[in-house]
Amino acid sequence: MLANTLEWVNNNQGLIIEYVLNIVSAIAIILIGMLFARLIYKGLHSMLSKRDLDSTIVDFVSYMVKYVVVAFVLIATLSRIGVQTTSFVALIGAAGLAIGLALQGSLSNFASGVLIIVLRPFKAGEYIEAAEVAGSVESVQIFATTLVTFDNKFVVVPNSAILGGNIINYSRKPTRRIDLVIGVSYNANLQQTKAVFEKVLKNNAGVLDTPSTQVAVAELGDSSVNFVVRSWAKSADYWDVRFQLIEEIKDALDAEGIEIPFPQMDVHMDK
């Protein structure tokens, strides 16, 4: 048995050496290739970051390039050890088709992620409302976008759900308009009431001078005269200014003796 083995080794030394060299070469290719993919990722990530691009774009593009390099390295490794890459690529294509049919939703999310990166309807740090969720964008990943809500909830939203509906970006513009509807009693003097609103707007430091503010009678309601009070604030200060104005308007109306009506019900009892 041993003699037969030694004889076979002697007769096939060239083949064995070639096979060993191919194995060593394949190991070298995969080690060097993985190192190269890692260096490509770090280099590309660093280069894109220096261009002040949005972090979502930097991460998405860097990872995609890295995975493409890894795929080529694996194919080159298999080719070195004698695997027919042509049939292998065809097999991957067939498997990819089957997986694609099974994972249509995931592929839709991937395609939507690419479109989000290209079209850039929002970027990391901006406050948006999409797919019935409102929050600050934390990151755009391959299949989903992560948001953090006002009350610090971490929400993962599929990219296709975001791109399939309306996207409201509250942070993209530097300023936002604050719309308040305030109802006062029919007994109130309209000019005096209007002057109270204008004074509150003028004295609030968060209200911008441009665009100008607007105070007007919006409608004559069932139990109140409704004023529309419009002002502008920086997008980052929107909620703080809005809450301040509501409180300041209530205090100012009370100080002037102007009543804010509330729903009442009169009950008449027949004897």
Side-chain angles (χ1 to χ4, degrees):
M1 181 70 177
L2 181 58
N4 292 334
T5 302
L6 292 174
E7 182 180 356
W8 183 87
V9 170
N10 289 329
N11 294 333
N12 296 277
Q13 285 183 0
L15 180 63
I16 294 173
I17 293 173
E18 182 182 356
Y19 187 76
V20 170
L21 289 176
N22 288 340
I23 293 294
V24 172
S25 299
I27 294 174
I29 290 173
I30 197 167
L31 291 177
I32 295 174
M34 291 301 180
L35 178 61
F36 179 71
R38 186 175 181 181
L39 292 175
I40 284 290
Y41 168 78
K42 288 185 176 181
L44 184 60
H45 193 282
S46 177
M47 182 185 68
L48 294 177
S49 298
K50 291 179 180 178
R51 294 179 178 270
D52 295 327
L53 295 175
D54 182 45
S55 60
T56 55
I57 297 178
V58 174
D59 291 340
F60 192 92
V61 173
S62 300
Y63 274 115
M64 285 297 297
V65 172
K66 177 183 177 181
Y67 292 143
V68 170
V69 173
V70 169
F72 278 109
V73 169
L74 292 177
I75 292 175
T77 303
L78 292 172
S79 176
R80 189 60 185 175
I81 61 177
V83 177
Q84 293 296 324
T85 54
T86 303
S87 58
F88 184 73
V89 170
L91 181 61
I92 291 178
L97 178 61
I99 294 173
L101 292 174
L103 301 175
Q104 293 183 28
S106 297
L107 292 177
S108 175
N109 288 328
F110 173 77
S112 298
V114 172
L115 289 176
I116 289 173
I117 293 299
V118 173
L119 300 177
R120 299 189 67 188
F122 53 81
K123 58 184 180 180
E126 290 185 333
Y127 189 84
I128 70 167
E129 182 178 344
E132 301 182 355
V133 179
S136 298
V137 179
E138 186 171 83
S139 66
V140 179
Q141 301 174 4
I142 294 178
F143 298 110
T145 296
T146 57
L147 303 176
V148 178
T149 64
F150 241 151
D151 52 350
N152 207 33
K153 293 178 182 176
F154 182 80
V155 184
V156 179
V157 186
N159 288 331
S160 59
I162 291 179
L163 211 59
N166 296 329
I167 302 173
I168 304 175
N169 190 328
Y170 293 102
S171 303
R172 184 58 59 90
K173 296 295 184 179
T175 60
R176 286 183 62 188
R177 193 177 74 182
I178 301 173
D179 291 337
L180 299 176
V181 177
I182 309 294
V184 299
S185 169
Y186 270 93
N187 296 325
N189 182 290
L190 297 184
Q191 297 305 316
Q192 178 190 10
T193 304
K194 186 176 181 180
V196 169
F197 292 145
E198 291 175 342
K199 182 178 180 181
V200 170
L201 295 176
K202 183 177 180 180
N203 292 337
N204 190 295
V207 174
L208 301 177
D209 295 330
T210 305
S212 60
T213 59
Q214 181 182 24
V215 178
V217 176
E219 63 174 347
L220 302 177
D222 294 336
S223 58
S224 64
V225 178
N226 296 326
F227 280 80
V228 61
V229 181
R230 292 173 176 166
S231 59
W232 291 81
K234 293 180 179 179
S235 296
D237 301 333
Y238 175 85
W239 288 108
D240 289 338
V241 176
R242 181 183 179 89
F243 295 150
Q244 290 170 9
L245 288 178
I246 293 174
E247 181 177 345
E248 291 168 0
I249 287 174
K250 174 63 168 63
D251 291 340
L253 291 176
D254 289 345
E256 294 293 330
I258 300 174
E259 179 186 357
I260 299 178
F262 52 88
Q264 301 184 46
M265 179 182 293
D266 293 332
V267 178
H268 300 277
M269 299 183 66
D270 296 331
K271 296 182 179 179

